[in-house]
Amino acid sequence: MSYPGYPPQPGTYPPQPGMYPPQPGTYPPQAGGYPPQSGAYPPQPGAYPPQPGAYPPQPGAYPPQPGAYPPQSGAYPPAPPPGSWGGGPVGGYPSSGFDNFSNPGFNAGMPGGGMPQQQQQQWPGMGYPGQPGQPGQPMPGYPGAPSPNPPMPGYGGAPAPTPAYPQVPSPNPSMPAHGGGAMPVNPPINRGFRGTIRDFPGADPLKDVEVLRKAMKGFGTDEQAIIELLGSRSNAQRVPLLRAYKTSYGKDLIKDLHSELSGDFRKLVMATLKSPAQFDASELRESIKGAGTDEACLIEILSSRSNAEIKEISRIYKQEYKKTLEDDIQNDTSGHFRRLLIALAQGNRDEREAVDLSLAQQDAQALYAAGEKKLGTDESKFNAILCARSKTHLRTVFYEYQRMCGRDIESSISREMSGDLESGMLAVVKCIKNTPAYFAERLHKAMKGMGTKDRTLIRIMVSRSEVDILDIRQEYLRNYGKSLYTAISGDTSGDYKKLLLKFCGGSD
């Protein structure tokens, strides 16, 4: 007995040469089926249709399986041959890009654009190393650069000098991988609000000035009430207290506080009642006027503020002191240091986030040619690059400089410059590389040794309390082995200490 659609059973039909003819009830042969082949094995008693090897494999088709049935109608058509429409490319599919990064579109769409093709050819697998503990993040100081690639040759691997770089021996044999060690740079990661002072919910200026008036009225002063109020209001909530106080009591809040308070605590309270631009303008003025100049303060403010902040500082400076900031710098400083300050005071630094790697390499070579490579130093070249390029770009330049000549940029500046210019250039570089670490160093120097530089301590604690004081605290603990809170507690006292600790926000 036979069943429709199945091949005949053994003993029913005599064997035919090469293949079976269509049987009644079976599906008709399909177009494109395999033709009978000469030399095929004759059917064996009790066996299924011919076995693999009877039919030669066809291009793109699946080979016949042992014991398979003849092709059925409705079956999947054979795959298109390579090179045809819908078929795979001749020679197979390209690499996925993870073996040697041959895929030119791998970085397409990344911030700042993909890696230039010539760089992929020159440094296979080139990419910026990620921040430790944060896979997939760009290298600190390399915003907008592709980061998912493997580490750049020479960074944690074999040295890979660029052909265009001068081949100079590394003075630091302990770090041969890229001629000087990884530079510490400030990660350009948006970590949210990093200050300690926020807007106080539901603050009312009229009620706040009532608290201040009550604290100053009568015999003695309630300093604790002043500390609690000013230490829990943001700058945007403190500044309006001046007008609210005059509206409510017809008196000047600054004058009343000045008469009631004294010493460093009074200076700190006065600083809290100025807008950031007013405070910076007054600090710059204080640094310039009188005998001597506080060059470190000038550099600190001008190298750490944005273009918009510098322009607002200049506007207020002229409004308050009837002279331009540039004129006062011109009259109070000299030489290349004066040029550095005036350049920074323009507030015209490029602030784009994208980094052009080839331009960064050119700038690194220009800095090398202006300093280490020549007898003497072309300070104007350093000035032009450090004051005009964006901070993200300069972090790339510093990294490329270190790879190129085997020495970090600070070491080169110290070797090539001296005096105020050296201090100024180093401050600019440190601030650009890692702003919180720069301020942590400034705070440490203000408190170490005999005496305290209270102006520096007050300025940084007030101006950074709503910006990045949490990051400064972390850098302080990492670099100096104790918390900033502990350092302030050990170096200050009284109400002055209490209000400073309010801005610090806590111990780490």
Side-chain angles (χ1 to χ4, degrees), residues 128 141-142 165 183 355-368 385-386 389-404 407-409 432-433:
Y128 298 113
Y142 281 71
Y165 287 169
M183 67 176 186
V355 176
D356 183 339
L357 183 60
S358 62
L359 180 60
Q361 292 167 350
Q362 292 174 22
D363 283 347
Q365 290 175 337
L367 289 176
Y368 178 77
I385 293 176
L386 294 180
R389 302 297 196 207
S390 74
K391 293 183 178 182
T392 52
H393 175 88
L394 286 171
R395 293 182 190 116
T396 313
V397 171
F398 299 154
Y399 176 73
E400 291 296 329
Y401 185 93
Q402 188 164 313
R403 285 188 70 248
M404 180 186 71
R407 181 179 291 113
D408 64 32
I409 190 70
I432 289 170
K433 272 191 173 183

Side-chain angles (χ1 to χ4, degrees), residues 247-422:
T247 299
S248 296
Y249 306 109
K251 300 185 72 179
D252 189 303
L253 177 59
I254 296 295
K255 289 182 179 179
D256 279 3
L257 286 169
H258 195 275
S259 65
E260 293 288 330
L261 308 177
S262 61
D264 291 323
F265 179 54
R266 177 169 66 188
K267 294 176 184 176
L268 177 56
V269 168
M270 295 297 111
T272 66
L273 295 171
K274 295 176 181 177
S275 73
Q278 287 174 329
F279 185 37
D280 283 343
S282 67
E283 288 294 288
L284 290 172
R285 176 67 175 175
E286 199 67 28
S287 299
I288 293 173
K289 75 173 187 178
T293 304
D294 187 349
E295 293 86 358
C297 174
L298 295 174
I299 283 289
E300 175 196 306
I301 293 175
L302 294 177
S303 63
S304 63
R305 295 341 186 222
S306 68
N307 289 346
E309 289 169 339
I310 290 174
K311 286 181 168 62
E312 180 65 9
I313 292 168
S314 297
R315 185 189 69 80
I316 290 177
Y317 192 97
K318 185 174 182 180
Q319 175 182 299
E320 292 288 328
Y321 307 113
K322 312 308 176 188
K323 295 180 70 177
T324 67
L325 175 59
E326 184 176 331
D327 285 344
D328 274 357
I329 292 173
Q330 183 82 28
N331 295 332
D332 207 62
T333 58
S334 61
H336 288 288
F337 180 64
R338 174 169 63 192
R339 297 180 191 178
L340 175 65
L341 290 174
I342 291 177
L344 292 171
Q346 302 309 302
N348 284 327
R349 182 186 296 280
D350 181 4
E351 292 185 331
R352 292 174 294 182
E353 290 294 318
V355 176
D356 183 339
L357 183 60
S358 62
L359 180 60
Q361 292 167 350
Q362 292 174 22
D363 283 347
Q365 290 175 337
L367 289 176
Y368 178 77
E372 295 278 359
K373 194 177 181 180
K374 63 177 293 183
L375 185 62
T377 308
D378 184 357
E379 293 88 355
S380 61
K381 179 58 69 175
F382 277 80
N383 199 79
I385 293 176
L386 294 180
C387 297
R389 302 297 196 207
S390 74
K391 293 183 178 182
T392 52
H393 175 88
L394 286 171
R395 293 182 190 116
T396 313
V397 171
F398 299 154
Y399 176 73
E400 291 296 329
Y401 185 93
Q402 188 164 313
R403 285 188 70 248
M404 180 186 71
C405 70
R407 181 179 291 113
D408 64 32
I409 190 70
E410 294 103 308
S411 298
S412 292
I413 288 173
S414 296
R415 286 160 57 94
E416 297 294 320
M417 302 175 192
S418 61
D420 291 337
L421 179 61
E422 177 191 356

